[in-house]
Amino acid sequence: MYNLLMTLILVVSVLIIIAVMMQPSKTNDAMSSLTGGADDLFAKQKPRGFEAFMQKVTMVLGIAFFIIALALAWYSSK
């Protein structure tokens, strides 16, 4: 069981990294993130399409990571 949980947490960790890297950037360049820029006008819009899907995938993977980590801690304490 311990090996299965370790394998699952490793797979979920890699998937989280991939999901975060695939999310589209919200700023055009580093300077606009420091100065504010006009992109802040549209920053309050709800994500749609691919961006919304990737946010949901990242959230589900984060919850799965947390649950597996708790199960791993519980199992290793016995």
Side-chain angles (χ1 to χ4, degrees):
M1 185 69 168
Y2 180 78
N3 290 334
L4 175 66
L5 289 174
M6 285 300 290
T7 303
L8 283 175
I9 205 161
L10 288 173
V11 169
V12 169
S13 298
V14 170
L15 290 175
I16 287 174
I17 292 169
I18 292 170
V20 168
M21 296 299 289
M22 287 181 63
Q23 288 183 1
S25 174
K26 294 187 183 209
T27 59
N28 292 335
D29 59 357
M31 193 60 177
S32 67
S33 66
L34 294 174
T35 60
D39 293 337
D40 291 340
L41 178 64
F42 302 106
K44 303 290 183 204
Q45 290 182 347
K46 291 179 79 173
R48 298 176 189 253
F50 181 71
E51 185 177 354
F53 174 73
M54 289 309 297
Q55 284 184 355
K56 289 176 186 174
V57 166
T58 305
M59 183 174 49
V60 168
L61 287 172
I63 292 169
F65 180 85
F66 185 70
I67 291 171
I68 295 169
L70 287 177
L72 191 58
W74 180 77
Y75 185 75
S76 65
S77 70
K78 286 189 167 194

